[in-house]
Amino acid sequence: MPRPTASWPFRPTARYSRNLAEALRTETVGGIIMLAATIAALIWANTPWSDAYERLRSYEISPEWLHLEHMDLQHWASGGLLALFFFMAGLELREELTHGELRDPRDAALPVIAAVSGVVFPALVFLMVSAGVDGALRGWAVPTATDIAFALAVLAVTFSSCPAPLRAFLLTLAVVDDLIAITIIALFYSGSLNLLPLLAGVALIAVYGVLQARGVRSPWIYAPVALLAWYCVQRSGIHATVAGVALGMLTSSREPPDGRPTNAERADHVLRPFSAGFAVPVFAFLSAGVALGGAALTGVLQDRVALGVIAGLVIGKFVGVLGGAWTAVRLGLATLGEELRWREIAGVAMLAGVGFTVSLLIGGLAYPDPAQFERVTTAVLIASVLASAAAAVTFRRRVRERAREDATN
């Protein structure tokens, strides 16, 4: 007898629902803090004291005994603080695989296909717009990422009454998107490999995984192993955020027999507020300060690389996510279920164009030239504003429609 077609959303466990609600609350608040940090950076960078901002983010902290060369504050934020952000992404992925939508391939079909399509289409749009520009190919992955904190903040403000499955769909979409992003960074944006530190980093990550599998619970054992693993991966030439997501995915979500929180839940409870409330906002503050004068904006509009980023995030993400979800349903791989509507999925598809954190990270790796990186950063900001505005309009209309439906019923 054939298995029934997957119906999305699935019915989550009570424990997963509780953890999901807590995560969504923290990420929403974190998105608001990140927005404030971004605005502060933009204001400072466009005042007569902009030189002080540049000196701050280019201030080097590179102790010789660590053998970490040319590490200014901006690099510490992207390679260090964002490693914690990706550790949280690894935890989320592990949770989804163990208790969430990704535990059953049939349940996972809708958000996974939407996420993969939402990576492919922005890259294709970017390549079409920037074709023929010298060095443009390096940035093909810039418009492929979705910023979960920023997106959840917009969703909370514009559609606070949205059904819980829609938030879960957005979170799952972003988790898969983050996994694809870290794979892209590892494969395409790493430097020349230094074999010995790489082997040491892999060994330390394996030790971390073995300790988790054996049920060790003390954070005083895990913290030094994780820090040494991060250091070795950073020295190896592979971007250190890869270590973060690997450690997160290896953190145990196995429930103890006495009912205590799992290692993953404990790590999430302690580290998520720091990640969402400090690490990501600091990275945003040190990365988003770009000039917004007439000349700077004219430069962006005349740069086909920057235009490719805008088009990829605003158009490519929308077409990719919505088209991927529609295709999954059309082919019988999944169904929306009774609680979701296509207009709501369309709003999420628009919201997926808020790239920000990971887009800025990839932009810095792809374009080391400061002038080009500044134009790409400005393009990411413009695209994120446009995507947020389009999603907000869609969600506000949906709020009014739901109110009329409730009044009729």
Side-chain angles (χ1 to χ4, degrees):
M1 180 177 178
R3 301 179 71 179
T5 302
S7 178
W8 211 98
F10 81 120
R11 299 301 174 189
T13 63
R15 188 169 199 152
Y16 174 79
S17 298
R18 183 173 64 252
N19 293 338
L20 175 62
E22 181 179 351
L24 289 171
R25 282 194 296 270
T26 306
E27 292 290 359
T28 300
V29 173
I32 295 171
I33 298 173
M34 181 176 65
L35 177 60
T38 301
I39 293 172
L42 288 170
I43 292 174
W44 192 357
N46 287 276
T47 66
W49 302 281
S50 58
D51 288 345
Y53 174 80
E54 290 297 331
R55 287 196 300 270
L56 173 65
R57 67 177 178 179
S58 61
Y59 181 77
E60 284 199 13
I61 304 177
S62 303
E64 291 185 6
W65 61 275
L66 283 177
H67 303 287
L68 296 174
E69 300 178 357
H70 308 301
M71 290 287 287
D72 55 27
L73 288 182
Q74 192 171 8
H75 282 92
W76 277 106
S78 63
L81 293 179
L82 281 196
L84 178 59
F85 168 80
F86 276 106
F87 177 83
M88 301 310 301
L91 282 182
E92 290 167 353
L93 181 61
R94 178 65 180 260
E95 184 73 6
E96 295 292 336
L97 289 169
T98 307
H99 302 293
E101 286 92 334
L102 301 181
R103 62 180 174 176
D104 187 327
R106 296 178 304 128
D107 291 331
L110 188 68
V112 168
I113 292 174
V116 172
S117 180
V119 168
V120 172
F121 274 84
L124 292 176
V125 170
F126 172 85
L127 292 174
M128 286 189 292
V129 174
S130 63
V133 178
D134 291 340
L137 185 60
R138 286 280 298 168
W140 65 270
V142 173
T144 61
T146 295
D147 190 291
I148 180 59
F150 216 141
L152 283 172
V154 174
L155 184 65
V157 170
T158 60
F159 197 13
S160 58
S161 60
C162 78
L166 188 66
R167 289 192 181 94
F169 175 80
L170 176 58
L171 179 63
T172 307
L173 178 80
V175 167
V176 177
D177 189 281
D178 283 343
L179 176 63
I180 297 172
I182 201 66
T183 304
I184 290 172
I185 291 171
L187 293 177
F188 298 100
Y189 295 100
S190 294
S192 57
L193 287 181
N194 191 338
L195 188 58
L196 288 179
L198 177 60
L199 293 176
V202 171
L204 286 163
I205 292 171
V207 168
Y208 180 94
V210 170
L211 292 172
Q212 290 286 343
R214 289 181 175 273
V216 176
R217 292 178 63 83
S218 173
W220 301 108
I221 295 176
Y222 290 120
V225 173
L227 287 173
L228 285 173
W230 172 88
Y231 172 74
C232 290
V233 173
Q234 176 71 26
R235 290 280 319 276
S236 73
I238 293 178
H239 202 271
T241 51
V242 176
V245 77
L247 292 169
M249 289 183 65
L250 289 173
T251 303
S252 175
S253 58
R254 185 174 64 248
E255 298 180 12
D258 55 8
R260 289 182 298 171
T262 67
N263 281 357
E265 288 172 336
R266 294 171 71 208
D268 187 283
H269 180 74
V270 172
L271 296 177
R272 185 180 293 277
F274 183 79
S275 172
F278 178 78
V280 175
V282 168
F283 169 77
F285 178 77
L286 294 173
S287 301
V290 294
L292 294 178
L297 293 177
T298 299
V300 170
L301 297 178
Q302 293 176 344
D303 183 352
R304 283 201 287 134
V305 171
L307 293 176
V309 170
I310 295 173
L313 284 169
V314 176
I315 300 173
K317 271 290 185 182
F318 172 72
V319 173
V321 171
L322 183 60
W326 183 84
T327 301
V329 173
R330 186 70 174 176
L331 295 179
L333 300 174
T335 60
L336 280 183
E338 297 180 356
E339 299 180 76
L340 293 179
R341 299 292 183 271
W342 278 114
R343 289 185 182 180
E344 296 168 350
I345 297 296
V348 167
M350 295 172 188
L351 204 51
V354 179
F356 208 70
T357 305
V358 182
S359 290
L360 293 183
L361 172 62
I362 296 176
L365 297 173
Y367 301 111
D369 175 56
Q372 183 64 74
F373 175 58
E374 182 160 323
R375 290 193 294 272
V376 167
T377 299
T378 305
V380 171
L381 293 173
I382 292 172
S384 297
V385 170
L386 293 175
S388 299
V393 170
T394 300
F395 288 140
R396 295 312 298 172
R397 287 179 177 174
R398 187 61 188 145
V399 167
R400 290 193 293 270
E401 289 174 358
R402 279 179 169 267
R404 287 196 296 268
E405 291 171 3
D406 293 341
T408 303
N409 297 331

